[in-house]
Amino acid sequence: MSSRHRVSLIPGDGIGPEVSEAAVRVVEASGVAIDWETVEAGAAVVAEHGTPVPDAVLSSVRRNRVALKGPISTPIGEGFRSANVTLRQVLDLYAAVRPARNLPGVETRFSGVDLIVVRENTEGLYSGLEHTVTPGVVESLKIVTERASLRIAEFAFGLAERQGRRRVTAVHKANIMKLSDGLFLECARRVAKAHPDISYDEIIIDNCAMQLVRDPTRFDVLLLENLYGDILSDLCAGLVGGLGVVPGANFGDDCAVFEAVHGSAPDIAGKRVANPVAIVLSAAELLRHLGEVEAADRVVKAVEGALSDPASRTRDLGGSAGLDAITDAIVEHVGGG
Ligand code: NAI
């Protein structure tokens, strides 16, 4: 592929602008021509627009159908609703895909980890339906629908087939939440029957967490509802080197938003010490989604090449390189200047 592409860029806040700028540099060095349409979301635009996700952001992503997004902070326990959750729900980005695999040069407890977390992204306990029943008693509603459960299961099995994976494991707590997680499981079982070439099994979330930290190599594709997927994808990131190295993507039927799993890391924002690898690998998956497969593979190899040199490793990986040093190394490996 060689035509120009137009992609929305949401830099985010905290370390978002610095790491997304690094990703843009790497993509440019890959030789793929992208016109970036930059739109702002998050706390900085709330005062002006009354929402962290203004219409300009939504219409940009809808028009371009693909976006690269930096992390966006969400106030805890008060304030505006998460811009991330809003984006996923309004754009119906129902499938979050978060691969966790070992990278050369990133030392971890296990080798041979290569699993993919597929997380339902639009409902469950993230439906935002909370209210105070009476002072001292709060109700938070977990919404599970047949429609959303079937389509995320279809997505997981489809991804497993496309990527040559062998097994999908549904993760649940249906022993306690018999109706909500029960419906999620029932839908997964129905979809599994229609995909006999992919094996299917189920595991209770707490056991899954324990098994993951004992031997993550036994897992292949994990299928989870929203909250479990959020938590276990960070756990899986920790297995392969932490939040700084794990990419992510959110898919709907109409558009896709690529973003790292990590947040805005306010503790290191502005210091130019953040690891850009997670968003650079997310950008590689964006290139693949655009059909630029050769360039995507080259970016992944460039990251691996850069990480093989201890001098290019950032602090979260035990090194001392800053954001600019590792970005320079990736750019050099990708074939740019
Ligand atoms: P976080 O992921 O921002 O940070 C957790 C820890 O990991 C911190 O010590 C941080 O310094 C480190 N870290 C994260 N990314 C890193 C990177 N690229 N390089 C080096 N170190 C890195 O999670 P936290 O602190 O729970 O959340 C901070 C803010 O981010 C919150 O407002 C939260 O709502 C938001 N957030 C946004 C997400 C998104 O936009 N998709 C996802 C998760 C959190």
Side-chain angles (χ1 to χ4, degrees):
M1 293 265 299
S2 59
S3 59
R4 290 191 83 80
H5 305 278
R6 194 164 181 82
V7 175
S8 303
L9 177 67
I10 308 169
D13 53 41
I15 60 170
E18 27 186 317
V19 293
S20 46
E21 180 194 280
V24 166
R25 268 190 68 200
V26 173
V27 170
E28 271 168 13
S30 79
V32 177
I34 292 189
D35 295 320
W36 299 98
E37 187 174 288
T38 304
V39 279
E40 300 290 343
V45 299
V46 172
E48 191 185 337
H49 297 275
T51 164
V53 187
D55 284 345
V57 175
L58 298 171
S59 56
S60 171
V61 181
R62 284 197 180 107
R63 193 169 51 246
N64 298 323
R65 300 169 69 101
V66 56
L68 182 65
K69 176 187 159 297
I72 300 175
S73 309
T74 307
I76 293 176
E78 55 177 19
F80 60 84
R81 185 148 190 249
S82 161
N84 306 303
V85 173
T86 305
L87 260 177
R88 291 167 196 161
Q89 286 178 349
V90 175
L91 296 172
D92 204 19
L93 302 167
Y94 61 86
V97 176
R98 298 173 165 191
R101 76 176 175 93
N102 289 114
L103 287 167
V106 180
E107 266 182 41
T108 55
R109 194 175 298 257
F110 302 98
S111 58
V113 180
D114 183 11
L115 58 87
I116 303 179
V117 171
V118 176
R119 163 189 173 192
E120 203 292 321
N121 229 0
T122 61
E123 55 178 34
L125 274 167
Y126 289 51
S127 304
L129 298 171
E130 285 192 320
H131 59 265
T132 301
V133 181
T134 189
V137 182
V138 167
E139 211 169 51
S140 191
L141 300 181
K142 172 162 170 162
I143 307 295
V144 178
T145 65
E146 184 180 34
R147 173 177 173 269
S149 303
L150 284 174
R151 72 178 178 175
I152 193 65
E154 280 292 358
F155 185 96
F157 278 89
L159 175 142
E161 281 168 356
R162 283 193 306 280
Q163 300 198 7
R165 298 281 172 159
R166 288 193 307 278
R167 185 159 48 104
V168 171
T169 302
V171 184
H172 67 95
K173 192 75 187 177
N175 50 332
I176 305 297
M177 281 163 277
K178 294 178 195 293
L179 287 184
S180 54
D181 282 16
L183 175 59
F184 187 82
L185 271 193
E186 185 200 313
C187 292
R189 287 174 193 160
R190 266 156 64 188
V191 173
K193 280 207 181 88
H195 296 267
D197 294 344
I198 305 288
S199 59
Y200 170 74
D201 60 2
E202 298 167 355
I203 186 167
I204 293 176
I205 174 91
D206 32 355
N207 181 24
C208 182
M210 189 271 289
Q211 301 287 351
L212 275 167
V213 297
R214 279 176 66 95
D215 180 14
T217 63
R218 56 169 286 195
F219 293 102
D220 194 346
V221 176
L222 296 175
L223 166 63
L224 310 97
E225 60 84 85
N226 211 338
L227 175 67
Y228 308 154
D230 194 2
I231 296 170
L232 284 199
S233 55
D234 271 32
L235 186 154
C236 291
L239 296 170
V240 294
L243 291 169
V245 296
V246 175
N250 305 286
F251 295 97
D253 289 333
D254 300 321
C255 37
V257 175
F258 294 79
E259 65 174 337
V261 174
H262 63 72
S264 56
D267 49 336
I268 54 170
K271 299 182 179 158
R272 298 198 82 78
V273 295
N275 188 346
V277 162
I279 195 166
V280 168
L281 290 176
S282 307
E285 293 318 304
L286 182 154
L287 291 176
R288 200 178 303 285
H289 180 75
L290 293 175
E292 304 284 0
V293 177
E294 181 276 326
D297 289 342
R298 207 151 24 89
V299 170
V300 173
K301 286 220 156 41
V303 167
E304 293 176 353
L307 288 175
S308 304
D309 178 3
S312 301
R313 292 180 205 148
T314 42
R315 292 195 321 197
D316 56 310
L317 301 179
S320 58
L323 168 68
D324 298 300
I326 186 169
T327 309
D328 289 347
I330 299 171
V331 164
E332 201 173 300
H333 278 86
V334 95

